[in-house]
Amino acid sequence: MPQSISEFIFFKVRPEVRPEDPHSEEGEALLNIFRSTKQQSGHQNSAWGRTVEDEDVIVWVVDWTDARGSTTAINLEPFLAPTAQPPTALYTTLSPPISSTDTLTANPVTEICALPFPSSLTVQETKQLNAELINFRTALVEHLPQEDGPRSWAMGHIDRPNMVQHAKSPSGHAVVHLLAVGWETVEAHKQAKETEQFQQSVAPIREKMLPPVPGLEMKHVSFQKI
């Protein structure tokens, strides 16, 4: 059975586009775009939310039954801020999958973190990185007190595009791993970052990691189900 694919779409809207406001005509029009996607073949679940870091930036997540599912970015153009870059869509197979558990909408806030690494990593370096990411998860999920740690943790590498351009990468390209981590609050995440468990387990990952891809810096989102 094919694994479900999660599509993450990042885009910046004009301030008057407010889907959460029932009196916002443009917000309602954007919601209709979201809702219409539910009628597409392969749609499982979807959610949207604004980022804490910039409330004009929206993250729209759609879970598809397989890799054939896709949104249509051109439908978002009427809502984009004048200076915004085109919407960015990332497709990933998360483990554990978020589609069957409503993970994103159950979290009070979800950290979305895209971690870029040089595409020139060797097979052995890639294996080591994967082990370090698993260790990072274990350190926070299992070794922090339950009330201080993440509420959920899903991660996977980006399948499409399988590489992105990156000026700081020796090869000029980067592979990206995506983390979707649930927290009680943004402050809880900040406090976890100060712990010994976090700092020790993230250190070897940071040694390999490139600077964030523009537009894909770490974000915190409170998701609403569509």
Side-chain angles (χ1 to χ4, degrees):
M1 181 177 178
Q3 285 186 291
S4 61
I5 300 291
S6 296
E7 179 184 5
F8 286 75
I9 308 100
F10 304 83
F11 59 103
K12 185 168 185 173
V13 298
R14 289 176 280 108
E16 60 269 26
V17 180
R18 303 194 63 80
E20 65 274 41
D21 181 357
H23 302 293
S24 169
E25 290 185 8
E26 294 195 69
E28 184 66 21
L30 179 56
L31 276 181
N32 285 334
I33 297 293
F34 294 163
R35 292 170 184 144
S36 65
T37 303
K38 296 173 68 173
Q39 308 306 316
Q40 287 184 224
S41 175
H43 176 279
Q44 287 186 312
N45 292 287
S46 49
W48 76 277
R50 295 181 182 272
T51 68
V52 172
E53 291 75 12
D54 182 348
E55 71 164 16
D56 289 337
V57 173
I58 287 178
V59 183
W60 178 23
V61 183
V62 184
D63 292 314
W64 302 100
T65 53
D66 56 45
R68 292 172 294 180
S70 178
T71 58
T72 305
I74 195 171
N75 292 337
L76 300 175
E77 287 185 0
F79 309 100
L80 299 181
T83 58
Q85 64 185 43
T88 298
L90 303 176
Y91 297 80
T92 180
T93 305
L94 292 174
S95 179
I98 57 175
S99 56
S100 59
T101 58
D102 290 331
T103 299
L104 297 183
T105 50
N107 292 330
V109 64
T110 300
E111 167 202 357
I112 305 295
C113 193
L115 307 178
F117 300 92
S119 61
S120 54
L121 290 179
T122 66
V123 172
Q124 185 56 41
E125 288 171 331
T126 300
K127 286 182 179 179
Q128 183 64 31
L129 172 61
N130 289 335
E132 290 162 353
L133 287 167
I134 292 170
N135 181 64
F136 183 39
R137 177 193 181 280
T138 301
L140 270 63
V141 173
E142 298 182 15
H143 297 163
L144 282 180
Q146 187 173 0
E147 64 273 16
D148 299 333
R151 289 174 55 109
S152 67
W153 187 296
M155 63 182 177
H157 68 272
I158 301 301
D159 303 312
R160 286 186 286 156
N162 61 350
M163 285 190 290
V164 298
Q165 290 187 337
H166 201 299
K168 297 294 179 67
S169 173
S171 64
H173 292 85
V175 294
V176 181
H177 288 254
L178 191 76
L179 274 60
V181 183
W183 298 94
E184 197 65 42
T185 61
V186 175
E187 186 59 33
H189 179 208
K190 291 179 179 178
Q191 291 176 0
K193 291 170 72 172
E194 299 300 319
T195 63
E196 182 179 355
Q197 292 93 331
F198 183 101
Q199 294 185 11
Q200 287 187 353
S201 58
V202 81
I205 298 171
R206 284 178 171 164
E207 288 178 4
K208 299 178 180 66
M209 198 165 67
L210 297 166
V213 177
L216 295 179
E217 298 85 358
M218 182 179 66
K219 297 169 172 48
H220 293 89
V221 185
S222 293
F223 283 100
Q224 304 178 45
K225 191 174 182 65
I226 297 170

